[in-house]
Amino acid sequence: MAQQASQSIIAELEDAVRDGTSAKRVQTLRQVTDLFLNDGDRLNDEQVKVFDDVLCLLVARVETRARAELSKRLAPLDYAPFEVIQHLAWDDDIGVAVDVLTHSSRLSSDALREIASSKGQDHLFAISARENLPASVTDVIIDRGEDRVIRRLANNAGAQFSDNGYSSIVARAAGDDELVEILGLRIDIPAKLLRDLLQRAKDTVRARLLAIASPKAREKSARC
């Protein structure tokens, strides 16, 4: 029944989209989104799939501003339709992709790694602010990211780093006082890498780090 309903609704929308104006398509997208936001947390998987199919149809036929609005509305929802979130995350326009890349729990680590491997710096910058960012993704960001991306990633307490990733990001800190300070304040930085970091730091930077570091961080640096 759900599949038949989906096909019927999509057929009707296809007619409306084909014959309607741009403004009408945007209005329809907002109406469908409103319906989902009102009831989405009570729907079963098949019912969510109906909304997913409908929203994907509309997303392909509206302009950037409307897609960005949809991204902002759906990004916080852990029950957001799966396929439309993927479409929004892969959008070349960062204005569309930014909210889902930064906030949506519907993006898997594999999807994030693929996006980070192929998209530009703005997409990497958005991903770098995610909570609970796994090492498999941060490895890619460290390898491809420019300075502003690396600083944002290092400043993300929820970002996890592999041994190679941590070594690489510490190496990137050479000559970058801001990155040295950010990394020096991470409570999870391995003692050996903290020692390397402090040895490379300018005296003024090292002094600032020790002045603002937590007792745990100061204890770790003393052992170094």
Side-chain angles (χ1 to χ4, degrees), residues 83-110:
E83 292 298 338
V84 74
I85 290 293
Q86 312 310 305
H87 280 291
L88 295 169
W90 277 94
D91 200 296
D92 288 334
D93 194 306
I94 189 57
V96 175
V98 61
D99 285 292
V100 293
L101 288 178
T102 305
H103 301 295
S104 180
S105 62
R106 300 289 276 165
L107 292 172
S108 67
S109 296
D110 287 344

Side-chain angles (χ1 to χ4, degrees), residues 24 27 32 66 70-71 79 92 100 114 116 126 162 173 209 220:
K24 177 62 176 177
Q27 181 185 10
V32 173
L70 179 65
S71 177
Y79 54 87
D92 288 334
V100 293
E114 290 176 14
S162 67
L209 271 176
K220 184 187 290 187

Side-chain angles (χ1 to χ4, degrees), residues 33-135:
T33 307
D34 287 342
L35 286 173
F36 181 78
L37 292 177
N38 287 335
D39 298 315
D41 58 343
R42 297 188 296 272
L43 301 178
N44 61 38
D45 291 344
E46 288 187 349
Q47 291 167 330
V48 172
K49 183 63 168 60
V50 172
F51 275 97
D52 208 353
D53 292 341
V54 171
L55 289 171
C56 284
L57 172 69
L58 291 167
V59 160
R61 293 163 173 82
V62 295
E63 68 272 14
T64 299
R65 183 180 298 179
R67 300 198 309 277
E69 177 185 316
L70 179 65
S71 177
K72 186 178 293 292
R73 299 183 75 185
L74 294 183
L77 306 180
D78 58 10
Y79 54 87
F82 180 80
E83 292 298 338
V84 74
I85 290 293
Q86 312 310 305
H87 280 291
L88 295 169
W90 277 94
D91 200 296
D92 288 334
D93 194 306
I94 189 57
V96 175
V98 61
D99 285 292
V100 293
L101 288 178
T102 305
H103 301 295
S104 180
S105 62
R106 300 289 276 165
L107 292 172
S108 67
S109 296
D110 287 344
L112 290 167
R113 188 170 60 251
E114 290 176 14
I115 294 169
S117 297
S118 60
K119 293 293 185 179
Q121 295 300 314
D122 288 337
H123 288 67
L124 291 174
F125 191 74
I127 296 171
S128 295
R130 287 181 66 89
E131 295 181 359
N132 303 317
L133 198 58

